[in-house]
Amino acid sequence: MILQSREVHHRTFAKRKVLRDIKLKAKIPINIAYIDEEEKEHFYNLRKKTTGVKDIIKVIDAKLDYEIDKAHKFVKLISDAPKNVQKSFYEGLLTPAELNSIPRELRQYYFNTFNDPQLHAFYITSEMHDYQQHIPPTKLNLERFFNGLKEKIRLEREELAKKNKELKPLVKLENTINSNTLNSAPLNPFNLGGNIVPPEGGLLGKVGSVSVKIGDSKFRQRVSLLDIPPRPKAQLASRQPRSGVGLQTYMKKHNLKNPVEFAKVYKKHKDYNVKGFINLRELCDDMNVNVEEALLYICEGMTRSDERCTNHRMNKEFHFRDSQSIVNIVKYFKEQVNKTSQDKNKFKYTVKSLWKSEYVTKIFADYGCTTGTYSTFSRWFNKYKKEVEKLKLA
């Protein structure tokens, strides 16, 4: 048996050396799995069926020839990829965007070499697109797909559990609001103090923060949101903020006497970290801003300048609402550049030409915005042109 294995090793040495030489010549820093598990299983089954040395050598030769062919294809594919993608490939750190940018065959080598559940989860979105191109799914690809599906479900469940944990105080609050122990008075979300509103009819006897109706066994309580303690009282011009929102530290840092002075300082420094809308609501209460005033100040701030208006009306519609207007402007610019470059009698189409065009003016007018000065527009256009091209939308 030992003599047999030695002979097989000796007879196949040359081809195994070819594989090593390919790796050294191409400067491949890791061992690449040129064939997948399904193909390995196929050659393994063939070898199990053979008994003679010659037959075993034929199977191993066939496997090595197949690997050599695959290795040459890999070298050609990886050499065409950008340097940064090559580096990420060998480190096993390709991002989803990079995985989508490389050819399907190269992606297959990556999945063969780095086999982990996170990749299986991504495999769903990347490989199923290829199945739509009438590529028959192999047994291994289907196995990867279902493994990836399980992993994706697990990850989504973990994310959902995390969000539920974060939302637990809000769910508790909603249950409190909907309970029968609250009075019928409307609840102001910006009113975080423990102000007591008496129920209609009957005499009241106050016990702490609870209002008790004489002659009625049911207690009616005015509950403040998230059980925030009562508002601190002012000492002339000075007042301490409610604790728990990080405002006390901020006031000491900037030597403020009253939380209302926060408005002047923050506008200049922008160094307070707002941790969500609940934090913002508590901050508004400390600054004596009610819900109507907060909405009014938001609207005034958004419409104070054309730049802010464009940012909320156009830019964020593109980022968060999938608006295609900016994409259409970039496409229109490229079409005009191509047209003028083909006709020698026409001047080259520039960003300034786009700024003056009726097409752009009409789109901005539809959004209720203006194109502004040329310098403002050119900065805006060049920024979003890069983003659109990076996302491969135009």
Side-chain angles (χ1 to χ4, degrees):
M1 188 71 183
I2 295 171
L3 291 173
Q4 189 185 54
S5 61
R6 281 181 180 176
E7 186 178 352
V8 170
H9 184 81
H10 176 72
R11 295 278 294 275
T12 58
F13 175 76
K15 289 187 178 179
R16 283 187 282 105
K17 186 176 182 300
V18 170
L19 270 176
R20 284 198 299 272
D21 290 343
I22 291 170
K23 180 183 175 182
L24 291 171
K25 188 177 178 182
K27 297 180 180 178
I28 301 171
I30 61 171
N31 292 324
I32 300 295
Y34 299 115
I35 59 177
D36 58 38
E37 297 298 326
E38 204 171 63
E39 292 163 337
K40 284 179 185 175
E41 187 181 352
H42 170 72
F43 285 112
Y44 176 73
N45 291 334
L46 282 177
R47 185 171 175 178
K48 275 176 67 176
K49 292 175 184 177
T50 56
T51 53
V53 177
K54 288 184 180 179
D55 293 333
I56 291 173
I57 290 170
K58 279 183 183 178
V59 171
I60 294 174
D61 276 346
K63 183 189 174 199
L64 288 170
D65 286 336
Y66 188 68
E67 279 194 79
I68 289 167
D69 183 53
K70 285 270 197 173
H72 284 302
K73 287 180 181 176
F74 170 77
V75 171
K76 186 177 183 304
L77 288 167
I78 198 69
S79 60
D80 292 338
K83 294 290 183 186
N84 62 319
V85 173
Q86 290 182 29
K87 185 175 181 294
S88 300
F89 185 100
Y90 291 136
E91 292 174 352
L93 299 173
L94 282 177
T95 62
E98 288 173 333
L99 270 170
N100 278 326
S101 68
I102 62 178
R104 183 181 183 275
E105 293 81 3
L106 188 57
R107 199 188 309 153
Q108 188 71 51
Y109 288 115
Y110 188 75
F111 288 132
N112 294 343
T113 306
F114 304 101
N115 190 11
D116 67 81
Q118 293 282 351
L119 282 176
H120 290 324
F122 177 76
Y123 202 86
I124 297 170
T125 54
S126 60
E127 291 299 299
M128 287 309 287
H129 173 73
D130 292 330
Y131 294 157
Q132 294 171 7
Q133 309 299 322
H134 309 292
I135 295 175
T138 62
K139 178 186 172 183
L140 179 65
N141 284 347
L142 285 174
E143 185 182 335
R144 278 178 167 164
F145 169 72
F146 287 114
N147 286 342
L149 188 59
K150 288 176 187 176
E151 179 65 15
K152 195 165 187 179
I153 291 169
R154 187 186 70 79
L155 293 172
E156 285 180 357
R157 280 179 177 172
E158 285 182 1
E159 188 67 26
L160 186 61
K162 186 179 176 183
K163 286 181 180 177
N164 284 341
K165 191 176 179 182
E166 292 172 355
L167 292 173
K168 197 172 180 180
L170 291 178
V171 174
K172 184 180 176 183
L173 170 65
E174 185 180 356
N175 293 338
T176 306
I177 293 170
N178 293 332
S179 67
N180 294 327
T181 57
L182 286 174
N183 60 35
S184 58
L187 195 62
N188 178 4
F190 279 82
N191 180 14
L192 300 181
N195 296 339
I196 299 171
V197 181
E200 294 179 5
L203 298 174
L204 288 176
K206 295 182 181 177
V207 182
S209 61
V210 178
S211 299
V212 185
K213 184 177 179 182
I214 303 300
D216 193 347
S217 61
K218 189 178 286 186
F219 288 85
R220 295 179 181 269
Q221 185 183 18
R222 182 69 168 108
V223 182
S224 63
L225 294 185
L226 302 180
D227 297 328
I228 300 298
R231 298 170 175 153
K233 292 183 179 180
Q235 302 294 330
L236 300 178
S238 301
R239 174 168 59 86
Q240 288 297 314
R242 182 180 284 111
S243 61
V245 295
L247 198 53
Q248 287 183 345
T249 308
Y250 190 84
M251 287 177 65
K252 287 177 184 176
K253 178 182 175 182
H254 293 284
N255 196 24
L256 305 180
K257 292 182 179 179
N258 194 297
V260 180
E261 295 174 352
F262 175 91
K264 293 180 181 179
V265 177
Y266 179 75
K267 190 167 69 171
K268 181 180 178 183
H269 297 283
K270 296 182 179 65
D271 54 348
Y272 178 81
N273 185 23
V274 185
K275 299 171 183 175
F277 283 99
I278 292 176
N279 185 185
L280 178 62
R281 184 185 60 201
E282 294 165 357
L283 185 61
C284 286
D285 182 68
D286 267 322
M287 295 170 67
N288 302 327
V289 176
N290 62 31
V291 64
E292 291 84 7
E293 290 169 338
L295 179 60
L296 175 64
Y297 299 156
I298 289 170
C299 294
E300 287 176 349
M302 285 174 63
T303 56
R304 180 162 292 176
S305 66
D306 291 336
E307 191 174 350
R308 280 189 186 180
C309 183
T310 304
N311 183 41
H312 288 277
R313 190 67 181 87
M314 285 188 74
N315 303 350
K316 292 193 175 183
E317 289 285 311
F318 167 69
H319 284 297
F320 307 132
R321 315 290 180 183
D322 295 329
S323 173
Q324 293 296 302
S325 296
I326 292 176
V327 178
N328 292 338
I329 289 173
V330 175
K331 284 181 178 177
Y332 176 80
F333 175 74
K334 289 188 172 183
E335 287 171 6
Q336 297 303 315
V337 170
N338 289 335
K339 283 180 184 178
T340 53
S341 61
Q342 291 170 7
D343 192 345
K344 294 180 180 179
N345 297 324
K346 289 185 177 180
F347 290 108
K348 184 180 177 182
Y349 198 83
T350 61
V351 177
K352 196 164 191 176
S353 309
L354 181 70
W355 172 59
K356 292 179 179 178
S357 67
E358 291 182 7
Y359 181 80
V360 169
T361 305
K362 185 179 182 303
I363 288 179
F364 271 74
D366 288 342
Y367 279 89
C369 303
T370 60
T371 54
T373 62
Y374 169 65
S375 60
T376 304
F377 177 80
S378 62
R379 282 197 304 272
W380 174 86
F381 176 73
N382 289 325
K383 176 186 172 183
Y384 280 95
K385 181 172 175 286
K386 286 179 184 176
E387 286 197 29
V388 169
E389 288 173 346
K390 188 177 180 181
L391 294 169
K392 298 180 180 179
L393 299 174

